[in-house]
Structure formats: structure tokens, C-alpha cells
Amino acid sequence: MLSESQIKCINLMVVENKTQKQIAKEINVTEKTICQWKKDKEFREEIEKQMRENFGSLAIEAQQKLKKLLDSKNESIQMQAIKDVLDRAGYKPVEKTEISGTGVVQLVDDVHE
């Protein structure tokens, strides 16, 4: 189980993006102690968990920014934003396939049946 100092350290690393030196001073430990903590599996797993949660909280803001880019005055930016939205929504374009051969191709219109 992680100590209160370790949890505070992880929060300062992930959320506040402080340096190891700043963190050591703030929680009153040595930088060497933080280095030792970083070697601990539980400590590393908690860092990863906090990073996932932190990035997850940015998703709403990212979506709002992307939505604003759809209305950009720059058509190139608009196009990239449109592509990104469509890709993320699962509407990726299908790769073009070239067919060659000498056989007969028959197209069947089964829409009006």
C-alpha cells in the first residue's frame, strides 16, 4: 500500500507536472527516495492509473476544441478536423482496390427488387 507521501508525489508529478526536485522539497523527502519509489511496481502502476484518469478528464475539452475547428476559416484545418471526427466515429474511408482480369463482370441492380 502506498503512503500518503507517495500518493502526494504522484499527484504532483501527474497533475501539477512538477519536477522531481520541486516534489522532493514539497513533500520533504530526498530525490533519491523518489527514485527508489519509481522502481516500485505498485508506485509505477499508480502513476499509470493517474495518467489515464488525467488524460480522460481532458477528453471533454479536446472534443470542444475539435468542434470549434470544424468552423475554422481555414479550409485545410476544417478538412483535417472533419477527417478526424469521421475517423473517430468509425467512418474511415475504404482503401481503393484495383481489379484486373479478362473475365466478364456483371453488375446486378438488386435495389429495385
Side-chain angles (χ1 to χ4, degrees), residues 20 23-25 27-37:
Q20 192 164 295
I23 294 167
K25 185 176 180 181
I27 63 174
N28 201 29
V29 297
T30 65
E31 288 184 67
K32 184 176 180 180
T33 298
I34 295 174
C35 288
Q36 290 171 335
W37 288 347

Side-chain angles (χ1 to χ4, degrees), residues 65-101:
K65 296 249 184 206
L66 183 56
K67 189 175 179 181
K68 285 181 183 179
L69 291 176
L70 292 171
D71 295 327
S72 172
K73 292 180 181 176
N74 182 316
E75 287 185 7
S76 177
I77 291 173
Q78 279 182 347
M79 186 58 131
Q80 190 59 45
I82 290 166
K83 285 181 182 179
D84 194 47
V85 168
L86 291 174
D87 284 353
R88 291 173 191 279
Y91 297 103
K92 290 189 179 194
V94 177
E95 291 293 323
K96 186 176 179 180
T97 304
E98 214 171 291
I99 301 174
S100 62

Side-chain angles (χ1 to χ4, degrees), residues 1 6 10 15 17 26 45 48 55 78 84-85 88 90 99 107 112:
M1 182 173 208
Q6 289 173 313
I10 292 169
V15 177
N17 199 29
E26 189 165 330
E45 287 173 350
E48 290 174 21
F55 281 124
Q78 279 182 347
D84 194 47
V85 168
R88 291 173 191 279
I99 301 174
L107 299 177
H112 300 291

Side-chain angles (χ1 to χ4, degrees), residues 26-54:
E26 189 165 330
I27 63 174
N28 201 29
V29 297
T30 65
E31 288 184 67
K32 184 176 180 180
T33 298
I34 295 174
C35 288
Q36 290 171 335
W37 288 347
K38 287 180 176 180
K39 293 176 185 176
D40 179 71
K41 182 182 178 190
E42 185 181 4
F43 188 84
R44 288 192 316 270
E45 287 173 350
E46 185 63 25
I47 289 173
E48 290 174 21
K49 178 184 168 210
Q50 292 297 325
M51 288 177 72
R52 281 191 303 275
E53 289 175 9
N54 192 42

